[in-house]
Amino acid sequence: MNSLFPTRRDFMNFDRNFFGDSFDHLFSSATNFDVDIKESDKEYTLEADLPGLTKEDIQLDYHNNVLSIGAKQEEGKDETDEKGNYIRRERSVRSYSRQFILKDVDEEGITAKFDNGVLTIQLPKKEVSDSTKNKIEIQ
């Protein structure tokens, strides 16, 4: 009798139970990507792994000390019979988005390149003088 009512575990595994293993790649947690950030005295270097994407799929923005990386990937598979009728037609869209706070960056000097699935962004630092700090006297 208990098997007639779905349990919480059944809902948690809905994608696997309903679609089977052939659609597992559609439900994977692919909304993030791996990023390495290195800091030196003169710049930040960010490397993001984005395999399977092209540079046209990627959007970069630096505004108010925040570096935003976004990407959108669309895939489709069509299988037809000899008459051109669909036997199977699949479409998927994946969106990737990450943001990083990187302060004191010279916005005019930012460069980026995309090679073999790796996005490399160079963010040179501004010269920051100590006079920008406001010392507050306690009374």
Side-chain angles (χ1 to χ4, degrees):
M1 182 77 169
N2 286 341
S3 64
L4 295 176
F5 300 101
T7 64
R8 183 179 185 151
R9 186 175 340 145
D10 293 330
F11 287 110
M12 291 171 46
N13 293 323
F14 174 75
D15 62 324
R16 175 157 287 138
N17 294 336
F18 185 75
F19 294 111
D21 291 334
S22 63
F23 287 89
D24 279 352
H25 68 282
L26 297 176
F27 294 102
S28 65
S29 95
T31 56
N32 283 329
F33 47 90
D34 294 330
V35 174
D36 297 327
I37 301 175
K38 301 174 199 167
E39 181 181 9
S40 69
D41 292 337
K42 298 185 182 228
E43 69 180 2
Y44 298 100
T45 302
L46 184 140
E47 292 179 349
D49 295 334
L50 296 165
L53 296 175
T54 64
K55 72 178 187 176
E56 290 79 19
D57 296 331
I58 303 168
Q59 302 85 38
L60 295 177
D61 181 50
Y62 183 82
H63 185 69
N64 290 336
N65 297 324
V66 177
L67 175 68
S68 300
I69 303 173
K72 186 174 182 181
Q73 182 181 33
E74 297 181 19
E75 293 181 0
K77 293 181 184 179
D78 291 339
E79 291 183 19
T80 58
D81 61 11
E82 57 277 348
K83 295 179 184 177
N85 296 322
Y86 290 114
I87 295 174
R88 180 175 78 169
R89 188 172 188 198
E90 297 179 11
R91 292 161 305 284
S92 67
V93 177
R94 294 180 185 174
S95 294
Y96 306 86
S97 180
R98 301 275 309 264
Q99 293 184 321
F100 306 93
I101 297 174
L102 300 168
K103 294 183 178 183
D104 301 323
V105 171
D106 178 11
E107 295 182 40
E108 301 298 320
I110 298 173
T111 60
K113 71 175 186 171
F114 187 69
D115 185 36
N116 203 20
V118 177
L119 175 66
T120 304
I121 306 169
Q122 306 281 19
L123 301 113
K125 292 181 179 180
K126 289 182 199 175
E127 294 293 326
V128 179
S129 66
D130 290 335
S131 64
T132 60
K133 296 181 182 179
N134 295 327
K135 186 174 181 180
I136 300 170
E137 294 291 327
I138 302 173
Q139 298 180 9

